[in-house]
Amino acid sequence: MYRALYLTYRPQTFADLAGQTHIAETLRHAVKTKKFAHAYLFSGSRGTGKTTAARILAKAINCLSPLEGEPCLSCEHCQLIEQGETLDVLELDAASNRGIEDIRTLRDATLLRPSKLPYKVYIIDEVHMLTQEAANALLKTLEEPPDYVVFILATTDPQKLPATIVSRTQRFDFKRLLPDVIQSRLQMVAEKEGIKLEAGAIRLLSVHAEGGMRDALALLDQARAFAGETITKAHVEQLLGIPQDVHIEALLQAIETAKLQEISRILQEMYADGRDAVRILTTLMQAMRERVLGQKEHEQTQDRFDATRRERLLTIMTQMLTLEPLLRRSYDPFLFLEVGLIKASAESHAPSATGSTIKQADGDGVHLKAVEKAASTFQTKASGSNQKTSESIEPPSERTLSAHPGETSPSSRKTTRREQKGVWQSGSTDKLIPFLDEVSLLHIQSYQSRWSELLNRIKAYDIRTEAWFKQGTPAAVHEDMLLIVFSKALHRETVEKEEHRIRIEQALADVFGRPLKFMAVMEEDWLRTREEVRSGKKAEAMVDGSHEDPLVREAIELVGEAYVEVIDRRKKG
Ligand SMILES: [Zn+2]
């Protein structure tokens, strides 16, 4: 039968007790000088060596030929304890034996002298789990223990112990093990077991054991079962669901540049690859943190763009902080990760947020202001098409157009259209679907709020362009493409002409601080497509009743009902 590595390589001596040198040394000295206490309290998080130390201590004080306070491990007493063949050393798990009767039985047993060994040793694990009555009964025993009895109480949660018990014991706090300590032990175990362990793999295992040796060795066991005798970094990443660097890099890039579709695509890839949503989030946060800190070191040589970029990262990170608890409670953490990252990315690129960041880049707490501003921008849902200004200027007359007869001929228009990305082909509503992404709709508000500023800018270039363009309404934005809807075909077609398009796109870049294109569509096409997509989504959501789910409700509160789509991945897997 296979024996778990953490059992096989459990430390047998104080000297071998990794990472708790001070405790081990104190205990060894106490045994050596025969000045050990009759009640110990070992506290510390799981896997830090509490019960291991208790067993070593039980052997050491009973050993027939101890060596400098260490158990010899070969005498009759050491062997009896090791094999669990003596009732003089007893381990009790207080998590499952927590009642008053259990402790009474134990107390009665302490009244009898040990049958074979010099000392009776009672190791009570998770002692904080005892009931009130049981704890009181234990306290009585601790107050006047027979001199042949040693109690070793172990707990992961010393705060829950009555102070009266704690004060009767000699207490040792076991520290979490540092990754270095875990790493060298993993190295040793791997060598003895003939496992080839890549340096990157060891590092990952030791970090993800979170300070516990038992977890570290259990992970090594799993990795071996998964990968065989040669374990690479990629194996461990796969095992732990840790995202790969290249994916994190790509994701960070997409978030920083607000490539929302790309964020979604990379996440889907990572999901299919079995990566863990919480680990993706934490790894991403670490990568962002490194970028922000890395940038700060070169602050003197930084230009304005770098400062903006850093504040943008901080804005995103601030939002991501609130995501982790949501992910941990969610049955579909990927959904929350996706919505959360897309939202954070889109909001950090909203002109209002970026604008405020640039203006206040010298002050403290800049990113918080940006977040507040972004939050208020998105409090109300984007409404899309009813933002027309009441002010109305007649568009340029037909005569103005006929001054350029070449442009209106069908053939030349066709050529121009093929060259221009984003020109609307009537009837091809598929092109509109990306704009119906929840975040696109959410995002457009910040453009709508600065629409008059944009029109003024266009007017400064050419008043005719502005007169045509202002007939349209910003309805959605997707990546670098603004969707403008028009109710009259003439207006729509005219703004698409090269001369107008150039001015409009220049003005867009001026006002919003990044290259933007626009697509002009007919209002009726836009509204119809939007209705089709929305009614499709609504029907799905009603069928599975997922709105009942508290997490879905929470998501809806977070971003608004129109923007939450529920995908139950369990049904597919
Ligand atoms: Zn011995």
Short mmCIF file of all heavy atoms in Angstrom, two decimals, residues 63-65 71-75 78, ligand 1:
data_model
loop_
_atom_site.label_atom_id
_atom_site.label_comp_id
_atom_site.label_asym_id
_atom_site.label_seq_id
_atom_site.Cartn_x
_atom_site.Cartn_y
_atom_site.Cartn_z
N CYS A 63 12.19 7.83 26.43
CA CYS A 63 13.28 7.06 25.82
C CYS A 63 14.22 6.48 26.88
O CYS A 63 14.53 7.13 27.88
CB CYS A 63 14.07 7.95 24.85
SG CYS A 63 15.42 7.09 24.04
N LEU A 64 14.66 5.23 26.64
CA LEU A 64 15.56 4.57 27.58
C LEU A 64 16.99 5.09 27.46
O LEU A 64 17.75 5.05 28.42
CB LEU A 64 15.53 3.05 27.36
CG LEU A 64 14.19 2.38 27.71
CD1 LEU A 64 14.16 0.93 27.24
CD2 LEU A 64 13.92 2.46 29.22
N SER A 65 17.37 5.54 26.26
CA SER A 65 18.72 6.09 26.12
C SER A 65 18.72 7.35 25.27
O SER A 65 19.21 7.34 24.14
CB SER A 65 19.66 5.03 25.52
OG SER A 65 19.07 4.48 24.35
N PRO A 71 15.17 11.66 21.22
CA PRO A 71 14.86 10.23 21.38
C PRO A 71 15.81 9.38 20.53
O PRO A 71 16.22 9.82 19.46
CB PRO A 71 13.42 10.14 20.85
CG PRO A 71 13.28 11.28 19.91
CD PRO A 71 14.14 12.38 20.45
N CYS A 72 16.12 8.16 21.03
CA CYS A 72 17.05 7.32 20.27
C CYS A 72 16.37 6.63 19.10
O CYS A 72 17.00 6.21 18.16
CB CYS A 72 17.68 6.28 21.20
SG CYS A 72 16.57 4.89 21.56
N LEU A 73 15.06 6.46 19.20
CA LEU A 73 14.21 5.88 18.14
C LEU A 73 14.35 4.37 18.01
O LEU A 73 13.63 3.74 17.24
CB LEU A 73 14.48 6.53 16.77
CG LEU A 73 14.30 8.05 16.67
CD1 LEU A 73 14.65 8.53 15.28
CD2 LEU A 73 12.88 8.45 17.04
N SER A 74 15.29 3.76 18.77
CA SER A 74 15.48 2.32 18.58
C SER A 74 15.22 1.50 19.85
O SER A 74 15.06 0.29 19.78
CB SER A 74 16.90 2.04 18.07
OG SER A 74 17.84 2.67 18.92
N CYS A 75 15.14 2.16 21.00
CA CYS A 75 14.90 1.40 22.23
C CYS A 75 13.46 0.88 22.25
O CYS A 75 12.64 1.26 21.42
CB CYS A 75 15.17 2.28 23.46
SG CYS A 75 13.93 3.57 23.70
N CYS A 78 10.79 3.74 22.56
CA CYS A 78 10.63 4.51 21.31
C CYS A 78 9.83 3.69 20.29
O CYS A 78 8.95 4.22 19.61
CB CYS A 78 12.00 4.88 20.73
SG CYS A 78 12.79 6.27 21.56
ZN ZN B 1 14.64 5.50 22.73
#
